[in-house]
Amino acid sequence: MGKVKIKKADVWIDMTPMSDVMVLLLTFFMLTSTFVKNEAVKVNTPGSVSEIKVPETEVLQILVDKDGKIFIGLDKPGYMREMLDNFKASVPSLQLSALQEKNFLALASFGAPVAEMSNVLKHESSEINEIQKTLGIPTDSIEGGMSEFQIWIDAARNSSFGSDMKVAIKADAATPYKVVKKMMSELQDMSENRYYLITSLKKEGE
């Protein structure tokens, strides 16, 4: 009995729909993704059971590391620009070049005394975090007036988004209490009495 030969047929799969889906997904992720900048310092926040979420926009974030160094930052470069311009108007002695201002706007947060700003901002943004983490923004008053910390807060508050600005404090679990108390006292002196405290959510059993 002769063998039955099965006719082979080429299998053709139309990949066009899959390609369309992949392009749409890629476009979606490109348009909705945000690039996270490195913060000035790493902060290990204390744990809590609160599940209240901090707003994502118009937020002035105050970082406090375990040594009590203070850094501030805003969520958009445009807001950082306004804050810097207002700060310079309050401190006429501060002179920054276009490159120094560009380096400032590339940061997620900043913390250095006025006397050190020009020197710190001469470096690339990738190097600034290593330099500024040993400095921080002083909370000592200037000639009996506002402290540098308060001038920064006031500069942010007087920006176009100031009426909608929320203040969020992200302090390390090992930060000395007197540092946090001093900072909160300076905020209260400016009638800034409402702010978020960023913590890590405790799991059950902790």
Side-chain angles (χ1 to χ4, degrees):
M1 183 176 177
K3 293 182 179 180
V4 178
K5 292 186 178 181
I6 301 174
K7 185 178 180 182
K8 294 182 179 180
D10 292 333
V11 178
W12 182 79
I13 300 175
D14 186 4
M15 299 294 291
T16 304
M18 183 178 290
S19 301
D20 292 341
V21 170
M22 292 300 293
V23 171
L24 288 172
L25 286 173
L26 180 61
T27 304
F28 170 78
F29 286 119
M30 288 176 64
L31 293 176
T32 58
S33 298
T34 55
F35 295 96
V36 179
K37 298 178 182 178
N38 291 326
E39 293 181 337
V41 289
K42 298 296 182 184
V43 174
N44 296 317
T45 55
S48 76
V49 295
S50 174
E51 297 186 14
I52 299 174
K53 292 185 178 180
V54 177
E56 297 182 358
T57 58
E58 285 87 34
V59 177
L60 175 67
Q61 180 170 273
I62 303 172
L63 287 174
V64 190
D65 72 0
K66 61 182 180 180
D67 297 320
K69 301 291 190 304
I70 298 174
F71 307 83
I72 61 172
L74 288 160
D75 52 293
K76 294 182 181 179
Y79 296 162
M80 292 284 280
R81 161 62 70 184
E82 287 190 58
M83 181 174 65
L84 179 61
D85 289 343
N86 291 339
F87 185 83
K88 287 165 56 183
S90 300
V91 186
S93 60
L94 179 62
Q95 300 294 325
L96 298 176
S97 66
L99 178 60
Q100 289 169 323
E101 292 187 5
K102 180 181 177 182
N103 290 340
F104 176 87
L105 299 178
L107 298 171
S109 49
F110 179 78
V114 172
E116 299 288 340
M117 282 185 66
S118 294
N119 182 52
V120 171
L121 293 173
K122 285 180 181 177
H123 299 80
E124 294 291 334
S125 56
S126 58
E127 301 173 346
I128 291 176
N129 283 344
E130 286 299 316
I131 299 170
Q132 68 175 352
K133 70 181 182 181
T134 61
L135 300 172
I137 298 173
T139 54
D140 300 326
S141 61
I142 303 174
E143 298 179 356
M146 290 196 301
S147 68
E148 291 185 27
F149 171 71
Q150 288 177 320
I151 296 174
W152 278 111
I153 300 298
D154 193 56
R157 192 166 57 178
N158 290 330
S159 301
S160 61
F161 58 90
S163 59
D164 298 321
M165 186 182 76
K166 299 93 176 175
V167 177
I169 299 174
K170 186 178 181 180
D172 195 279
T175 302
Y177 173 72
K178 63 179 182 180
V179 175
V180 179
K181 182 179 179 181
K182 169 70 172 174
M183 183 182 62
M184 289 183 176
S185 295
E186 295 209 354
L187 289 172
Q188 289 174 352
D189 289 343
M190 304 175 68
S191 299
E192 200 68 57
N193 299 312
R194 300 186 65 180
Y195 36 78
Y196 295 87
L197 295 176
I198 300 177
T199 59
S200 301
L201 184 63
K202 282 185 177 181
K203 298 179 180 178
E204 292 184 7
E206 290 186 349

